[in-house]
Amino acid sequence: MITNALHHVVLTKKGYLDEQFIQLEELEDDDNPNFVEEMVTTFYANSARLLQNIEQALGSRPIDFTKLDNYMHQFKGSSSSIGATRVQKECTLFMEYCEAANAEGCIRTFRQVKQEHASLKTKLEDYFKLARQGGPSAGGQAGR
């Protein structure tokens, strides 16, 4: 339990997650003990499609910056729903490059979006693995 709590603190203190993630944890109860893990799993399943759409739009010519901005807006909203702070920051930067019609900036920032997305996934997988090892009480309540 202590290891899981420590891992949770590291994720929030290092800026990977924000208070939205903590609020999701608070929704877990005996009837739905894996609520957060299910939300994160759904996020990663849906975000794969959005990332693919963005990648395809970046590869088309001429680049449709409005379409790119719309895709990234959806992706940022999904990231926000689980509290993925670093991912959201990169999404915001990407959207600023879209507004400026800066293809190079979009491409460069998209790499960062994908990197933050993958990094968070690895960290959350470790977090949930620790939560499962610690039993039902190691999940949501351990991080506070």
Side-chain angles (χ1 to χ4, degrees), residues 15-63:
Y16 287 100
L17 298 168
D18 63 18
E19 63 280 347
Q20 177 63 28
F21 187 80
I22 295 167
Q23 290 175 1
L24 289 175
E25 287 181 315
E26 291 171 352
L27 295 174
E28 287 191 346
D29 57 22
D30 291 340
D31 293 332
N32 201 354
N34 300 316
F35 178 73
V36 177
E37 189 169 5
E38 291 168 7
M39 289 286 295
V40 168
T41 300
T42 300
F43 163 72
Y44 276 97
N46 293 336
S47 64
R49 176 187 48 81
L50 284 170
L51 289 173
Q52 183 177 24
N53 289 345
I54 294 166
E55 190 137 14
Q56 288 174 348
L58 278 172
S60 66
R61 295 295 179 261
I63 292 178

Side-chain angles (χ1 to χ4, degrees), residues 12-114:
T12 53
K13 294 285 187 208
K14 294 205 176 213
Y16 287 100
L17 298 168
D18 63 18
E19 63 280 347
Q20 177 63 28
F21 187 80
I22 295 167
Q23 290 175 1
L24 289 175
E25 287 181 315
E26 291 171 352
L27 295 174
E28 287 191 346
D29 57 22
D30 291 340
D31 293 332
N32 201 354
N34 300 316
F35 178 73
V36 177
E37 189 169 5
E38 291 168 7
M39 289 286 295
V40 168
T41 300
T42 300
F43 163 72
Y44 276 97
N46 293 336
S47 64
R49 176 187 48 81
L50 284 170
L51 289 173
Q52 183 177 24
N53 289 345
I54 294 166
E55 190 137 14
Q56 288 174 348
L58 278 172
S60 66
R61 295 295 179 261
I63 292 178
D64 184 341
F65 289 101
T66 301
K67 182 188 280 188
L68 274 175
D69 186 69
N70 288 337
Y71 285 146
M72 190 56 77
H73 187 77
Q74 290 175 44
F75 184 76
K76 182 180 177 186
S78 294
S79 300
S80 176
S81 73
I82 65 161
T85 307
R86 287 188 179 188
V87 175
Q88 291 174 68
K89 287 178 184 173
E90 293 301 328
C91 292
T92 298
L93 184 57
F94 182 96
M95 291 163 52
E96 289 171 7
Y97 283 124
C98 283
E99 189 174 315
N102 182 333
E104 183 57 40
C106 286
I107 292 166
R108 187 175 55 249
T109 306
F110 184 60
R111 283 189 215 115
Q112 281 301 116
V113 167
K114 291 193 306 184

